[in-house]
Amino acid sequence: MLSQLPEDILYHILSYLDYKSLGRLSQVCQTIYHFVNRDAVWRKIAKEFLNTGITRNGTDKYRHIPLKERVKIAQNWYDGVCRRAVPLKWKTKLLPWLQLDGNALFLSQASDIGVYHLSQDSGRLQRKPFEIYSGHKGDVCHFALTDSHLISGGSDGKILVHSRKTDVLMELSGHNQEVNCLDSKDGLIVSGSKDQTTRIWTLSSACPRDTITMYDRVWSVAISPTLSTFGTGTACCENFSPLRIWDVERSECVCSLGSQFRRGAGVLDMVFESPFQLLTCGYDTYIRMWDLRLSPRNCVMEWEEPHDNALYCIQTDGNHMIASGSSHYGVVRLWDKRQAECLQFFQLTSDSVSSPVYCLRFSSSHLYAALATALHSLDFSKNPIYIR
């Protein structure tokens, strides 16, 4: 009788079931099994789980993976069940940066950026890069990836724009000290430097469109999804808020966020989750969420690193999960925004002196963490909790 109901009514009935009940129901018969396995049935459940690729606004980032499979893996994210591996090591103490793009991992090592192939089946990383981007005279401090370009900032003060489709290389000159951070969206580039300036660039010119004097070292920048504003995080060595929002067209400060930052509580990383929601972290050991539609004096939520370590980097699944990297023991923490306490943590090294996690990137089943001495991967697709 159940299989004879109209589909819209059947969808409504199944929306009241949890993932365990759906798994049991799929064992009734082949007809119901095929119906229950549809993405439409699992979409509501997937939105409540961690890192399923369903963002808060309903966007699906991993359409090629069935939602039922992602819910399986999401159980591992929540329970911390994973397989650890060290896919790459290097002897010198580098400050790596990384970015995932499909089945390719972009990883900076000294003055070069290597592109490593990721096996879709095993998740293993190719030992040697199949492509290398170079050109800096010093170490690569940060880079951003778009569909058409790779934009890197180095300790030599240069910004290099590599075309991913041709061999064209453009050099952007303006900073006179190391470029600590940059972000790029739709042809717009924003960079921050130790020279206490933030610069706005376009791909049509090698000179900055605007230069903003910050009166402090710039540690982090992020462009809003609307491209109308961007955020900057500074070292907080002066008597003003280290976290500010700027208008792209006018190059003017729209607002300063926060009112009680301690001196030296620099903002080391920031991520826009939406045009109005911004996540930040830094030396004062807190992850903060800001809503730009509300009062800029106070954040709307915050999570404290329990061991009082500085937080170097954060990533988010666009919904409920945050991943953070701390300054000691290579600790990566997973947070559920709906909880005050840390959900899971992974200590990737026993060396407390020189193993901060500088960069995090994750897909539906993998979390890649770049430390000062190695690249670690956590594969959450292994040993899954099965839903029949």
Side-chain angles (χ1 to χ4, degrees), residues 32-87:
I32 293 180
Y33 172 82
H34 290 298
F35 188 88
V36 169
N37 278 4
R38 295 181 182 180
D39 279 0
V41 175
W42 291 89
R43 191 172 185 84
K44 181 181 176 182
I45 292 174
K47 196 171 182 179
E48 298 303 313
F49 277 70
L50 299 179
N51 198 27
T52 57
I54 305 296
T55 61
R56 186 181 292 105
N57 61 13
T59 304
D60 190 347
K61 297 191 293 184
Y62 309 128
R63 293 178 180 273
H64 61 288
I65 305 174
L67 274 175
K68 180 180 176 181
E69 296 302 314
R70 285 184 260 168
V71 171
K72 289 182 186 179
I73 297 172
Q75 284 291 305
N76 292 341
W77 282 101
Y78 190 87
D79 296 330
V81 178
C82 64
R83 184 183 67 178
R84 307 185 187 196
V86 182

